[in-house]
PDB file of all heavy atoms in Angstrom:
ATOM      1  N   GLY A 323      96.652  98.069 108.588  1.00 89.00           N
ATOM      2  CA  GLY A 323      97.907  98.761 108.800  1.00 89.00           C
ATOM      3  C   GLY A 323      98.362  98.754 110.251  1.00 89.00           C
ATOM      4  O   GLY A 323      99.542  98.959 110.540  1.00 89.00           O
ATOM      5  N   GLU A 326     101.180  93.940 112.716  1.00 95.00           N
ATOM      6  CA  GLU A 326     102.616  93.918 112.530  1.00 95.00           C
ATOM      7  C   GLU A 326     102.951  93.908 111.033  1.00 95.00           C
ATOM      8  O   GLU A 326     102.379  93.117 110.277  1.00 95.00           O
ATOM      9  CB  GLU A 326     103.223  92.691 113.202  1.00 95.00           C
ATOM     10  CG  GLU A 326     103.109  92.699 114.721  1.00 95.00           C
ATOM     11  CD  GLU A 326     103.906  93.830 115.343  1.00 95.00           C
ATOM     12  OE1 GLU A 326     104.996  94.141 114.810  1.00 95.00           O
ATOM     13  OE2 GLU A 326     103.437  94.412 116.338  1.00 95.00           O
ATOM     14  N   ASP A 422     107.113  82.961  90.174  1.00 82.00           N
ATOM     15  CA  ASP A 422     108.387  82.249  90.226  1.00 82.00           C
ATOM     16  C   ASP A 422     109.568  83.125  89.859  1.00 82.00           C
ATOM     17  O   ASP A 422     110.642  82.621  89.527  1.00 82.00           O
ATOM     18  CB  ASP A 422     108.343  81.034  89.269  1.00 82.00           C
ATOM     19  CG  ASP A 422     107.211  80.074  89.611  1.00 82.00           C
ATOM     20  OD1 ASP A 422     107.051  79.773  90.804  1.00 82.00           O
ATOM     21  OD2 ASP A 422     106.508  79.653  88.684  1.00 82.00           O
ATOM     22  N   VAL A 571      89.427 104.565  74.787  1.00 98.00           N
ATOM     23  CA  VAL A 571      89.307 103.412  75.682  1.00 98.00           C
ATOM     24  C   VAL A 571      87.847 103.187  76.075  1.00 98.00           C
ATOM     25  O   VAL A 571      87.399 102.038  76.193  1.00 98.00           O
ATOM     26  CB  VAL A 571      90.205 103.596  76.910  1.00 98.00           C
ATOM     27  CG1 VAL A 571      89.961 102.484  77.930  1.00 98.00           C
ATOM     28  CG2 VAL A 571      91.674 103.596  76.505  1.00 98.00           C
ATOM     29  N   GLN A 598      85.641  94.634  86.291  1.00 97.00           N
ATOM     30  CA  GLN A 598      86.878  94.818  87.037  1.00 97.00           C
ATOM     31  C   GLN A 598      86.864  96.150  87.770  1.00 97.00           C
ATOM     32  O   GLN A 598      86.755  97.218  87.169  1.00 97.00           O
ATOM     33  CB  GLN A 598      88.064  94.766  86.083  1.00 97.00           C
ATOM     34  CG  GLN A 598      89.407  95.021  86.714  1.00 97.00           C
ATOM     35  CD  GLN A 598      89.960  93.796  87.421  1.00 97.00           C
ATOM     36  OE1 GLN A 598      89.299  92.771  87.467  1.00 97.00           O
ATOM     37  NE2 GLN A 598      91.154  93.904  87.946  1.00 97.00           N
TER      38      GLN A 598
END
Side-chain angles (χ1 to χ4, degrees):
E326 294 295 324
D422 302 315
V571 173
Q598 177 80 357

